Amino acid sequence: MNQVKTTRICQLNLLFLVLIFSLLLQVFPARAANLSKPGNSVNKVLVVYDSKNTYYNGEKTIDSLQRMLTALGMKTTTTTINNYRQGTLENGGYKAVITLINWNYVNFSNQAFITDRRNFQGNKIHIGQNLQADEAHGLQANVGKLVRQQLMFKNDEVREQLPYTDSMEILNNIKGNYLTFGQLELQSNEHAKIIPFGVINNNNAYLPFWKTTGLGLIYEQQLLTKLLTNQPGKNYQPLLLITKVTPLAHLDYLKHLIQVLDKKGIHYAISATITTQNTNQKAFADYINVLKYAENHNGLIYLRMPYLLGSYLTGAVTNESLTTTITKDLRLLYSKQIYPMGIAAPNFWNHDAVLSKSGLKRADEILLLPNPKVYPTIAASSSAATYHKAYYVASLASFEKVKATHSLLTAENMEFAVPTALNVNLPRTLARLTRVEKDISKIDLTWYDFSADSSLKEMKMDNKTLTYQFGNYYVNGRQREILESNNNKHKKSKKPSSNISLIQRINNIFRSGSKVLLVVVIVSLIGLVILLIKGWQIYLDKFRRK
């Protein structure tokens, strides 16, 4: 009897411990989730390119490749063929080397690089033309050439037409157990010829060119994931991202777009710029209210790093000055109950020692935006950092512009092998707002629902740790609620008009005119009453005299 009693007590104690542990997991989500985070070990990749080829926008190819490698979790070092130094591959601990030919008509050569690449035992990827004999040997293929051809990607029922190809190298008679990623259809006079786009043969890979949109982007993600991680690749649901959101943006359009997405049950992120100037103005208060409204309606805020233009660069940009600026931005947002759970920044921030350390490293998640045409250099670095999760950002409109038999955004097999965000710029006109609504309504993709994801999002700010998990916000482990202002809560706005500002001005004029008219009428009535009283007294005096 005592033994049974003891067993029951032990069972009750065990159940009690399990309940306590479960409560701790709920109260301290950050600590619990940190136990499941991957280790700090990273995979190093060396990217060697021939030229930026700025005249033909070749820097976009370099930018796209760097961002995709970072989204894949690779620690990337980038250099030119001319600047490569002998022994770099052997002594750098690299897992892979990528040769990027960005300018087909200039054959840059560096014997030290060619020799080191030939002897390198890691993964080798060649992108573009000018395949060397040792690379073709590793791919177990013969090299052929296409001149002045019209190609298109072939994917089941979808055909994506590519720009006219002046010259391109292809692989013929491939031997061994190779893998292919995507198919190119070549239209000839007699019949259509099918050739592979991406090829992996053992530890060697080849891509004839690099695409930043469409099916090419999908195939490139799959090839890099397979070769560099040796895994089939996950199917990442794309994140819908709204960019160009600033205090000067059209807030009525932003709120309307939020309501449209909320009605469709779509979760989205907002890349929001903040300023610590003129915060006492009504326009700034309206901006904060819309961001809070987004947080309560399926939205997640990412802090857009400041634009390093104009007066900001009059003084020296240092780690200390930039850290101070970004900390002030975060403090201001926190004081307004805006909890940014990641950083959005152009790719050059991740390739700058000062910008990366002061801006990006405080967040677990970053959104890697494409580089602008012109950007400042503070302390450019050949190496890029890695993050718990980084998104490759691509334009949603660029997919819509792809010349295809069917929209790629309705294709069932549109699967992203790396974390990808598809962005739309906040519309500046009513026509563009309507167009964005139609584009989103036609998309057949399943958008990423971060509120149903168990992974933890984390942001460091002073002595505070902001976290997000399962749709809940936490500050140092304590859950916080987002309280909307009274004039915004449960308020549904009508679809905005393109002449809304003009209408508001006219209404203001009528309101002011009505007040003035009311004052005039009241004064007139008072004067009339006084005159009537005075006239009545004069009339009575006449009768009294008689």
Side-chain angles (χ1 to χ4, degrees):
M1 186 72 180
N2 290 334
Q3 185 176 0
V4 173
K5 188 176 182 180
T6 304
T7 303
R8 289 180 178 177
I9 292 174
C10 290
Q11 290 175 342
L12 289 173
N13 288 337
L14 180 61
L15 180 61
F16 180 74
L17 290 173
V18 170
L19 289 173
I20 292 295
F21 184 70
S22 300
L23 288 173
L24 288 174
L25 287 179
Q26 294 295 323
V27 177
F28 301 104
R31 295 182 182 179
N34 282 336
L35 296 175
S36 62
K37 282 187 178 183
N40 293 324
S41 60
V42 293
N43 296 314
K44 297 181 66 176
V45 175
L46 178 66
V47 176
V48 183
Y49 67 94
D50 56 348
S51 169
K52 286 187 177 179
N53 195 7
T54 306
Y55 185 79
Y56 290 102
N57 296 321
E59 69 274 10
K60 290 184 178 180
T61 299
I62 301 172
D63 166 56
S64 175
L65 177 60
Q66 288 175 334
R67 290 188 293 124
M68 191 176 295
L69 290 170
T70 302
L72 197 54
M74 300 292 140
K75 184 175 179 60
T76 308
T77 301
T78 307
T79 186
T80 62
I81 292 178
N82 288 338
N83 290 334
Y84 179 86
R85 295 294 177 262
Q86 186 174 3
T88 301
L89 267 175
E90 181 181 355
N91 303 324
Y94 293 103
K95 178 177 184 177
V97 57
I98 299 178
T99 305
L100 173 62
I101 304 302
N102 213 23
W103 195 358
N104 298 333
Y105 301 104
V106 180
N107 191 6
F108 290 91
S109 181
N110 183 334
Q111 192 57 45
F113 173 62
I114 294 173
T115 302
D116 284 0
R117 182 182 58 189
R118 183 191 305 123
N119 299 327
F120 183 61
Q121 298 301 310
N123 296 319
K124 306 174 188 179
I125 306 172
H126 186 104
I127 303 173
Q129 298 194 52
N130 300 337
L131 266 168
Q132 301 297 307
D134 63 294
E135 294 178 294
H137 178 74
L139 289 163
Q140 300 184 48
N142 298 325
V143 180
K145 198 156 192 175
L146 295 178
V147 179
R148 298 177 183 176
Q149 296 289 340
Q150 179 69 63
L151 300 171
M152 62 176 60
F153 280 120
K154 179 180 181 295
N155 185 356
D156 293 337
E157 298 299 321
V158 180
R159 300 288 191 278
E160 178 189 337
Q161 185 176 331
L162 299 174
Y164 187 80
T165 302
D166 185 43
S167 177
M168 188 183 81
E169 291 181 353
I170 61 173
L171 300 181
N172 294 324
N173 304 321
I174 310 173
K175 298 178 176 61
N177 296 321
Y178 61 93
L179 301 174
T180 62
F181 299 84
Q183 293 179 325
L184 288 168
E185 187 174 84
L186 171 62
Q187 297 292 334
S188 64
N189 294 331
E190 298 179 359
H191 59 275
K193 180 182 179 181
I194 304 298
I195 57 178
F197 173 58
V199 175
I200 293 179
N201 204 342
N202 295 323
N203 65 328
N204 298 273
Y206 175 66
L207 287 164
F209 52 84
W210 184 269
K211 284 276 290 176
T212 58
T213 58
L215 291 175
L217 182 69
I218 303 300
Y219 300 142
E220 291 155 1
Q221 290 185 354
Q222 294 171 356
L223 182 144
L224 290 178
T225 301
K226 178 61 180 176
L227 186 67
L228 298 180
T229 67
N230 199 26
Q231 296 176 357
K234 295 173 62 178
N235 178 18
Y236 287 95
Q237 295 171 339
L239 171 68
L240 179 59
L241 173 64
I242 304 174
T243 50
K244 303 291 185 182
V245 177
T246 71
L248 300 178
H250 206 309
L251 300 183
D252 292 300
Y253 291 174
L254 177 58
K255 188 168 184 181
H256 177 75
L257 186 57
I258 290 170
Q259 291 172 350
V260 170
L261 297 176
D262 182 41
K263 187 176 180 180
K264 293 180 179 294
I266 297 175
H267 289 73
Y268 55 91
I270 293 178
S271 169
T273 304
I274 197 65
T275 176
T276 55
Q277 299 178 353
N278 301 320
T279 57
N280 58 340
Q281 300 294 324
K282 181 180 182 300
F284 183 80
D286 293 340
Y287 181 62
I288 291 297
N289 288 336
V290 173
L291 294 183
K292 290 172 71 173
Y293 183 83
E295 285 183 318
N296 275 327
H297 294 81
N298 294 341
L300 203 61
I301 307 300
Y302 285 73
L303 177 62
R304 171 51 161 96
M305 289 293 94
Y307 293 88
L308 302 182
L309 298 172
S311 60
Y312 192 86
L313 290 178
T314 55
V317 177
T318 63
N319 183 43
E320 291 74 18
S321 64
L322 199 55
T323 298
T324 300
T325 299
I326 297 172
T327 301
K328 285 182 179 179
D329 292 346
L330 287 171
R331 286 173 180 168
L332 177 61
L333 288 173
Y334 177 79
S335 68
K336 303 296 184 181
Q337 280 195 314
I338 306 295
Y339 301 137
M341 297 318 308
I343 297 292
N347 185 42
F348 75 86
W349 278 72
N350 198 36
H351 292 265
D352 191 294
V354 169
L355 302 181
S356 175
K357 182 179 179 181
S358 58
L360 307 186
K361 275 300 185 179
R362 64 182 71 235
D364 266 1
E365 287 192 5
I366 63 169
L367 303 172
L368 287 172
L369 304 166
N371 282 334
K373 288 185 177 181
V374 180
Y375 55 85
T377 299
I378 312 301
S381 173
S382 60
S383 297
T386 57
Y387 305 89
H388 182 62
K389 192 173 187 179
Y391 285 89
Y392 179 96
V393 178
S395 168
L396 184 68
S398 67
F399 279 85
E400 287 290 350
K401 292 177 182 177
V402 168
K403 295 181 179 179
T405 53
H406 301 291
S407 172
L408 300 183
L409 299 177
T410 60
E412 295 181 357
N413 48 5
M414 257 308 254
E415 297 181 351
F416 297 92
V418 303
T420 304
L422 300 179
N423 81 289
V424 294
N425 292 332
L426 179 64
R428 301 175 65 179
T429 64
L430 183 62
R432 182 57 190 162
L433 176 64
T434 304
R435 175 67 183 176
V436 169
E437 287 184 51
K438 290 182 179 178
D439 289 345
I440 293 176
S441 64
K442 291 188 298 183
I443 294 173
D444 197 27
L445 299 176
T446 301
W447 295 103
Y448 171 45
D449 180 2
F450 39 78
S451 69
D453 195 343
S454 62
S455 62
L456 189 79
K457 303 180 191 302
E458 188 174 281
M459 170 78 82
K460 298 289 186 182
M461 187 196 73
D462 294 332
N463 59 344
K464 298 180 180 63
T465 301
L466 312 180
T467 53
Y468 177 93
Q469 190 178 41
F470 286 127
N472 297 314
Y473 293 92
Y474 301 86
V475 178
N476 291 341
R478 300 185 63 180
Q479 187 172 348
R480 295 294 180 90
E481 296 291 335
I482 308 296
L483 301 177
E484 294 182 36
S485 58
N486 292 331
N487 59 340
N488 264 347
K489 197 169 185 180
H490 307 304
K491 183 180 178 181
K492 296 286 185 180
S493 65
K494 296 181 180 179
K495 188 164 184 172
S497 169
S498 57
N499 296 322
I500 188 168
S501 58
L502 178 62
I503 293 172
Q504 286 177 343
R505 290 173 188 170
I506 294 173
N507 288 339
N508 291 336
I509 292 172
F510 276 109
R511 291 193 193 100
S512 301
S514 299
K515 291 178 181 178
V516 173
L517 183 61
L518 181 63
V519 172
V520 171
V521 171
I522 292 174
V523 171
S524 300
L525 286 174
I526 293 173
L528 183 60
V529 169
I530 293 173
L531 289 174
L532 286 172
I533 294 173
K534 197 69 176 173
W536 179 251
Q537 290 176 347
I538 293 173
Y539 180 77
L540 290 178
D541 288 341
K542 286 182 179 181
F543 277 101
R544 286 172 183 162
R545 288 172 188 165
K546 290 180 179 180

